[in-house]
Amino acid sequence: MAKILITGGAGFIGSNLAHALVKDNDITIIDDLSMGKEENIADIDVTFYHHDVCDSAFMHKLLSENKFDYIYYLAAVSSVADSVVRPLETHRVNQESVVDTLEYIRTEKLPIKKFLFTSSAAVYGNLPDFPKTETSHVDPLTPYAIDKYASERFTIDYGNLYNLPTVAVRFFNVYGPRQNPESPYSGVLSIITECMKNNKPFTLYGDGLQTRDFVYVGDVVNALIKLATETNESTVYNIANGGETTLIDVIRTYEDISGIKLEITYKDSRHGDIKKSKADISKLKNVGFEPQWSLEDGLRNYWKYYSEN
Ligand code: UD2
């Protein structure tokens, strides 16, 4: 039984992680519910603090009183668009809170087994390198991407400079149950699911031929746990499926699974939208991870979850 802190644990990925870990561990969650929802964790036995990770005094007290074995740092303002509108406020969450936590662990010599930071494929920007490997050039084009990249580097460097056990990951396009569809910048599959459920038209930006590396949240959770518990190097890993699918193909597959025809309204591509995205996941595979969910199986499970909830 390990003591685990999940920041952002009421959110999409954090709550799925909490569900996977709760059986054998003592879980604490801090979440300001800006994107997360209390109902995501209502059915599991965790200690929940509805609080902002930027409250440094609160975080310090939490850390020193609990002596967590593992910290999964998922708290973030996850909307790229929001970071463009509010660069300083989002910087405080997406970078300052992370460095503050690392620094407190270091100066107080907290006996942590692993600090895992969650970054994003956004750090790669729009450069042509393809597929994206962890050694590809980065080109963070927005405050969100800059903060994710900086926090990732801080996480790795706290490992290399001060011997803290740390690791960082870059998420590609994660989808699955509990993803919040409420913002126009929510994951496209959560928006599509919502449209299918409520018979609403879906707005497709671009021609539908843009590709993404969609990864089911169940695989993401397994990868996170493996990296936290079974690796010893302070470094960064892509978390993805390693495949590449066009948006229109995803929609057609999902229509077959749900039996619902999606009404599509086409609009111009979003500013800055990436045409092609795909990850090289050999580094993750080298630590023994193998994705278990094909896109079809993942979509089937996602739809089943919605049909039952
Ligand atoms: C993902 C991340 C983003 C950032 C970025 C870096 C998510 C939810 N977003 O953005 O945070 O890391 O990667 O590259 O993981 N689309 C529509 N209609 C909609 C919504 C989206 O056509 O209502 C399109 C969108 O224009 C894009 C594709 O669907 O071409 C995927 O959109 P997304 O927002 O799910 O993810 P992405 O890759 O743009």
Side-chain angles (χ1 to χ4, degrees), residues 11-13 15-16 40 174-180 190 193 216-218 254 298-299 301-306 309:
F12 163 42
I13 301 171
S15 64
N16 278 287
N40 284 344
V174 188
Y175 71 97
R178 303 193 188 91
Q179 189 165 28
N180 181 342
S190 70
T193 303
Y216 188 64
V217 69
Y254 207 10
L299 288 173
N301 218 45
Y302 190 12
W303 187 250
K304 179 164 166 270
Y305 176 88
Y306 264 108
N309 288 278

Side-chain angles (χ1 to χ4, degrees), residues 27-76:
I27 311 275
T28 299
I29 285 173
I30 174 166
D31 199 302
D32 68 353
L33 302 181
S34 54
M35 273 299 269
K37 290 189 187 309
E38 212 167 343
E39 70 198 45
N40 284 344
I41 49 170
D43 57 339
I44 50 174
D45 185 17
V46 299
T47 306
F48 173 55
Y49 295 100
H50 178 187
H51 215 94
D52 183 350
V53 288
C54 294
D55 182 344
S56 159
F58 182 88
M59 284 298 287
H60 293 177
K61 188 159 178 283
L62 186 68
L63 292 167
S64 66
E65 283 178 356
N66 284 280
K67 308 274 186 301
F68 295 108
D69 297 302
Y70 297 95
I71 298 177
Y72 292 90
Y73 211 99
L74 288 109

Side-chain angles (χ1 to χ4, degrees), residues 78-80 120-123 125 144 171-174 179 183-189 191-192 202-206 210-212 214 247 269-270 272-274 277:
S78 61
S79 163
V80 174
S120 163
V123 303
Y144 173 80
F171 290 138
F172 280 68
N173 291 72
V174 188
Q179 189 165 28
S183 140
Y185 293 93
S186 296
V188 70
L189 279 165
I191 296 174
I192 291 172
F202 168 71
T203 305
L204 197 161
Y205 301 105
Q210 62 265 54
T211 66
R212 291 294 184 272
F214 290 101
L247 184 52
S269 294
R270 281 176 174 169
D273 199 53
I274 289 169
S277 174

